[in-house]
Amino acid sequence: MKDKLQTWCLIIGVGMCGPVFLVLPITWLFAGEIPGKRFPFLRAIDNPVVFYVATIAFIIVAMKMTQVSLVAARFFYRQSKRQGKNLQ
């Protein structure tokens, strides 16, 4: 039972890692600025072309990370199914 719980925690954790990173650039897009340490690093009002290109680039990278994390979660799920069949 403990092994199944650990396996499902791993699958859910890996599967949610990518979507969490996808939230950041979408929030930047809605806020209209990329935050820095003390002041906004880049604002849509100041330089819209650079801001939107950078935000779209971050969204594309985050989508790729989401794809990789979901593929890894699917791999762990299939691996756990194989181990379950071998035990029976």
Side-chain angles (χ1 to χ4, degrees):
M1 181 68 176
K2 183 180 175 185
D3 292 336
K4 282 187 176 184
L5 182 63
Q6 288 177 341
T7 302
W8 277 105
C9 287
L10 174 70
I11 291 168
I12 292 169
V14 170
M16 291 305 296
C17 184
V20 166
F21 288 120
L22 186 59
V23 169
L24 287 173
I26 292 174
T27 305
W28 297 342
L29 187 63
F30 288 138
E33 64 183 25
I34 298 176
K37 281 191 174 186
R38 297 186 186 193
F39 53 88
F41 179 70
L42 186 63
R43 295 176 60 186
I45 295 172
D46 298 337
N47 200 346
V49 174
V50 175
F51 171 77
Y52 289 116
V53 168
T55 306
I56 296 300
F58 279 121
I59 288 173
I60 291 170
V61 169
M63 288 178 121
K64 193 62 173 175
M65 288 177 61
T66 301
Q67 178 189 10
V68 168
S69 70
L70 292 177
V71 167
R74 186 172 143 204
F75 169 75
F76 289 132
Y77 175 74
R78 285 186 175 184
Q79 188 177 13
S80 70
K81 284 291 190 184
R82 286 186 199 144
Q83 287 177 354
K85 286 181 181 178
N86 291 337
L87 294 176
Q88 292 176 354

